[in-house]
Short mmCIF file of all heavy atoms in Angstrom, two decimals:
data_model
loop_
_atom_site.label_atom_id
_atom_site.label_comp_id
_atom_site.label_asym_id
_atom_site.label_seq_id
_atom_site.Cartn_x
_atom_site.Cartn_y
_atom_site.Cartn_z
N ALA A 225 7.92 -20.60 80.03
CA ALA A 225 6.60 -20.59 79.40
C ALA A 225 6.66 -19.80 78.10
O ALA A 225 7.27 -18.74 78.02
CB ALA A 225 5.58 -19.96 80.34
N ARG A 226 6.03 -20.35 77.08
CA ARG A 226 6.00 -19.67 75.79
C ARG A 226 4.85 -18.68 75.76
O ARG A 226 3.86 -18.84 76.46
CB ARG A 226 5.82 -20.69 74.66
CG ARG A 226 7.05 -21.54 74.46
CD ARG A 226 6.83 -22.48 73.33
NE ARG A 226 5.76 -23.40 73.72
CZ ARG A 226 5.33 -24.39 72.97
NH1 ARG A 226 5.84 -24.58 71.78
NH2 ARG A 226 4.38 -25.18 73.38
N ALA A 227 4.99 -17.70 74.92
CA ALA A 227 3.92 -16.71 74.76
C ALA A 227 2.74 -17.37 74.06
O ALA A 227 2.89 -18.30 73.27
CB ALA A 227 4.42 -15.53 73.94
N HIS A 228 1.55 -16.87 74.34
CA HIS A 228 0.35 -17.42 73.73
C HIS A 228 0.34 -17.08 72.24
O HIS A 228 0.71 -15.97 71.85
CB HIS A 228 -0.89 -16.83 74.42
CG HIS A 228 -2.10 -17.65 74.21
ND1 HIS A 228 -2.88 -17.50 73.11
CD2 HIS A 228 -2.68 -18.62 74.95
CE1 HIS A 228 -3.89 -18.35 73.17
NE2 HIS A 228 -3.79 -19.04 74.29
N PRO A 229 -0.10 -18.01 71.39
CA PRO A 229 -0.10 -17.73 69.96
C PRO A 229 -1.05 -16.62 69.55
O PRO A 229 -0.85 -15.95 68.54
CB PRO A 229 -0.50 -19.05 69.32
CG PRO A 229 -1.16 -19.82 70.38
CD PRO A 229 -0.54 -19.37 71.67
N TYR A 230 -2.14 -16.41 70.34
CA TYR A 230 -3.09 -15.34 70.03
C TYR A 230 -2.95 -14.25 71.08
O TYR A 230 -2.82 -14.55 72.28
CB TYR A 230 -4.53 -15.86 70.06
CG TYR A 230 -4.81 -16.96 69.10
CD1 TYR A 230 -4.99 -18.26 69.54
CD2 TYR A 230 -4.88 -16.71 67.74
CE1 TYR A 230 -5.25 -19.28 68.66
CE2 TYR A 230 -5.14 -17.72 66.85
CZ TYR A 230 -5.32 -19.01 67.31
OH TYR A 230 -5.57 -20.01 66.43
N PRO A 231 -2.99 -13.00 70.69
CA PRO A 231 -2.98 -11.95 71.72
C PRO A 231 -4.32 -11.93 72.44
O PRO A 231 -5.38 -11.91 71.81
CB PRO A 231 -2.77 -10.67 70.91
CG PRO A 231 -3.25 -10.99 69.55
CD PRO A 231 -3.01 -12.46 69.35
N ILE A 232 -4.27 -12.00 73.76
CA ILE A 232 -5.51 -12.04 74.54
C ILE A 232 -5.94 -10.61 74.81
O ILE A 232 -5.33 -9.90 75.60
CB ILE A 232 -5.34 -12.82 75.83
CG1 ILE A 232 -4.96 -14.25 75.50
CG2 ILE A 232 -6.59 -12.77 76.67
CD1 ILE A 232 -4.85 -15.17 76.66
N SER A 233 -6.92 -10.16 74.12
CA SER A 233 -7.48 -8.83 74.33
C SER A 233 -8.99 -8.96 74.38
O SER A 233 -9.54 -10.06 74.28
CB SER A 233 -7.06 -7.91 73.18
OG SER A 233 -7.64 -8.36 71.98
N ASP A 234 -9.66 -7.87 74.56
CA ASP A 234 -11.11 -7.91 74.63
C ASP A 234 -11.72 -8.36 73.29
O ASP A 234 -12.77 -8.97 73.26
CB ASP A 234 -11.67 -6.55 75.00
CG ASP A 234 -11.37 -6.20 76.45
OD1 ASP A 234 -11.13 -7.15 77.22
OD2 ASP A 234 -11.38 -5.02 76.79
N LEU A 235 -11.03 -8.06 72.19
CA LEU A 235 -11.55 -8.45 70.89
C LEU A 235 -11.47 -9.96 70.68
O LEU A 235 -12.36 -10.58 70.11
CB LEU A 235 -10.77 -7.73 69.78
CG LEU A 235 -10.91 -6.22 69.75
CD1 LEU A 235 -9.97 -5.64 68.70
CD2 LEU A 235 -12.33 -5.83 69.46
N HIS A 236 -10.39 -10.56 71.16
CA HIS A 236 -10.19 -11.99 70.94
C HIS A 236 -10.73 -12.85 72.07
O HIS A 236 -10.76 -14.06 71.97
CB HIS A 236 -8.71 -12.29 70.76
CG HIS A 236 -8.13 -11.69 69.53
ND1 HIS A 236 -7.47 -10.49 69.54
CD2 HIS A 236 -8.14 -12.11 68.24
CE1 HIS A 236 -7.08 -10.20 68.32
NE2 HIS A 236 -7.47 -11.15 67.51
N ARG A 237 -11.16 -12.22 73.17
CA ARG A 237 -11.59 -13.00 74.32
C ARG A 237 -12.78 -13.89 74.00
O ARG A 237 -12.85 -15.03 74.40
CB ARG A 237 -11.92 -12.07 75.48
CG ARG A 237 -12.02 -12.77 76.80
CD ARG A 237 -12.20 -11.77 77.92
NE ARG A 237 -11.08 -10.84 78.02
CZ ARG A 237 -9.95 -11.10 78.67
NH1 ARG A 237 -9.79 -12.27 79.24
NH2 ARG A 237 -9.00 -10.21 78.74
N GLY A 238 -13.73 -13.37 73.24
CA GLY A 238 -14.87 -14.18 72.86
C GLY A 238 -14.48 -15.31 71.94
O GLY A 238 -15.04 -16.40 72.00
N PHE A 239 -13.49 -15.08 71.10
CA PHE A 239 -13.03 -16.12 70.18
C PHE A 239 -12.35 -17.26 70.94
O PHE A 239 -12.54 -18.42 70.63
CB PHE A 239 -12.05 -15.52 69.16
CG PHE A 239 -11.36 -16.52 68.31
CD1 PHE A 239 -12.05 -17.23 67.34
CD2 PHE A 239 -10.01 -16.78 68.48
CE1 PHE A 239 -11.40 -18.16 66.54
CE2 PHE A 239 -9.36 -17.70 67.69
CZ PHE A 239 -10.07 -18.40 66.72
N LEU A 240 -11.59 -16.90 71.96
CA LEU A 240 -10.85 -17.92 72.69
C LEU A 240 -11.72 -18.63 73.72
O LEU A 240 -11.64 -19.85 73.86
CB LEU A 240 -9.64 -17.28 73.39
CG LEU A 240 -8.57 -16.72 72.47
CD1 LEU A 240 -7.50 -16.03 73.29
CD2 LEU A 240 -7.96 -17.83 71.64
N ARG A 241 -12.55 -17.90 74.47
CA ARG A 241 -13.35 -18.52 75.51
C ARG A 241 -14.73 -18.90 75.02
O ARG A 241 -15.25 -19.93 75.42
CB ARG A 241 -13.51 -17.57 76.68
CG ARG A 241 -12.32 -17.53 77.57
CD ARG A 241 -12.65 -16.87 78.87
NE ARG A 241 -13.46 -15.68 78.67
CZ ARG A 241 -13.97 -14.99 79.65
NH1 ARG A 241 -13.79 -15.35 80.87
NH2 ARG A 241 -14.69 -13.92 79.40
N GLY A 242 -15.34 -18.04 74.25
CA GLY A 242 -16.68 -18.32 73.78
C GLY A 242 -17.76 -17.94 74.77
O GLY A 242 -18.93 -18.19 74.53
N GLU A 243 -17.41 -17.35 75.88
CA GLU A 243 -18.42 -17.06 76.90
C GLU A 243 -18.06 -15.78 77.65
O GLU A 243 -17.63 -15.82 78.79
CB GLU A 243 -18.56 -18.22 77.86
CG GLU A 243 -17.25 -18.75 78.36
CD GLU A 243 -17.38 -19.97 79.23
OE1 GLU A 243 -17.95 -20.96 78.77
OE2 GLU A 243 -16.90 -19.91 80.36
N THR A 244 -18.21 -14.67 77.03
CA THR A 244 -17.89 -13.42 77.71
C THR A 244 -19.09 -12.87 78.46
O THR A 244 -18.92 -12.19 79.46
CB THR A 244 -17.43 -12.35 76.71
OG1 THR A 244 -18.46 -12.18 75.74
CG2 THR A 244 -16.14 -12.74 76.06
N GLN A 245 -20.28 -13.16 78.02
CA GLN A 245 -21.45 -12.55 78.64
C GLN A 245 -21.83 -13.23 79.93
O GLN A 245 -22.39 -12.61 80.82
CB GLN A 245 -22.63 -12.57 77.67
CG GLN A 245 -22.43 -11.66 76.48
CD GLN A 245 -23.61 -11.71 75.54
OE1 GLN A 245 -24.52 -12.48 75.72
NE2 GLN A 245 -23.57 -10.86 74.52
N VAL A 246 -21.54 -14.50 80.09
CA VAL A 246 -21.97 -15.23 81.28
C VAL A 246 -21.28 -14.69 82.53
O VAL A 246 -21.95 -14.39 83.52
CB VAL A 246 -21.74 -16.74 81.11
CG1 VAL A 246 -22.06 -17.48 82.38
CG2 VAL A 246 -22.60 -17.26 79.97
N PRO A 247 -19.96 -14.51 82.57
CA PRO A 247 -19.37 -13.95 83.78
C PRO A 247 -19.82 -12.51 84.05
O PRO A 247 -19.98 -12.13 85.20
CB PRO A 247 -17.87 -13.98 83.50
CG PRO A 247 -17.69 -15.00 82.46
CD PRO A 247 -18.94 -14.96 81.64
N ASP A 248 -20.04 -11.73 83.00
CA ASP A 248 -20.50 -10.36 83.20
C ASP A 248 -21.90 -10.36 83.82
O ASP A 248 -22.19 -9.58 84.73
CB ASP A 248 -20.52 -9.60 81.89
CG ASP A 248 -19.12 -9.41 81.31
OD1 ASP A 248 -18.16 -9.53 82.09
OD2 ASP A 248 -19.00 -9.17 80.10
N GLN A 249 -22.76 -11.23 83.33
CA GLN A 249 -24.12 -11.33 83.87
C GLN A 249 -24.07 -11.80 85.33
O GLN A 249 -24.78 -11.25 86.18
CB GLN A 249 -24.93 -12.30 83.03
CG GLN A 249 -26.36 -12.51 83.50
CD GLN A 249 -27.23 -11.31 83.24
OE1 GLN A 249 -26.91 -10.48 82.41
NE2 GLN A 249 -28.34 -11.21 83.94
N ALA A 250 -23.24 -12.78 85.61
CA ALA A 250 -23.12 -13.27 86.98
C ALA A 250 -22.59 -12.18 87.90
O ALA A 250 -23.03 -12.05 89.05
CB ALA A 250 -22.20 -14.49 87.03
N GLN A 251 -21.66 -11.39 87.41
CA GLN A 251 -21.11 -10.30 88.22
C GLN A 251 -22.19 -9.27 88.54
O GLN A 251 -22.28 -8.78 89.67
CB GLN A 251 -19.95 -9.65 87.49
CG GLN A 251 -19.20 -8.64 88.31
CD GLN A 251 -18.00 -8.10 87.58
OE1 GLN A 251 -17.77 -8.42 86.42
NE2 GLN A 251 -17.25 -7.26 88.25
N LYS A 252 -23.04 -8.95 87.56
CA LYS A 252 -24.13 -8.00 87.81
C LYS A 252 -25.11 -8.56 88.84
O LYS A 252 -25.56 -7.85 89.74
CB LYS A 252 -24.87 -7.72 86.51
CG LYS A 252 -24.13 -6.81 85.56
CD LYS A 252 -24.96 -6.59 84.30
CE LYS A 252 -24.20 -5.81 83.25
NZ LYS A 252 -24.97 -5.68 82.01
N GLN A 253 -25.45 -9.83 88.70
CA GLN A 253 -26.39 -10.45 89.62
C GLN A 253 -25.81 -10.51 91.04
O GLN A 253 -26.52 -10.26 92.02
CB GLN A 253 -26.76 -11.85 89.15
CG GLN A 253 -27.65 -11.87 87.94
CD GLN A 253 -27.92 -13.26 87.44
OE1 GLN A 253 -27.22 -14.22 87.79
NE2 GLN A 253 -28.91 -13.40 86.58
N ASN A 254 -24.52 -10.83 91.15
CA ASN A 254 -23.89 -10.88 92.46
C ASN A 254 -23.86 -9.51 93.12
O ASN A 254 -24.06 -9.39 94.33
CB ASN A 254 -22.46 -11.43 92.34
CG ASN A 254 -22.44 -12.90 92.00
OD1 ASN A 254 -23.41 -13.61 92.22
ND2 ASN A 254 -21.34 -13.36 91.46
#
Side-chain angles (χ1 to χ4, degrees):
R226 289 182 295 182
H228 200 275
Y230 301 108
I232 299 185
S233 65
D234 289 338
L235 296 174
H236 294 96
R237 195 174 299 276
F239 171 70
L240 294 176
R241 281 195 317 174
E243 47 184 57
T244 57
Q245 292 180 355
V246 174
D248 295 340
Q249 179 72 19
Q251 187 176 4
K252 285 180 186 176
Q253 288 176 344
N254 289 339

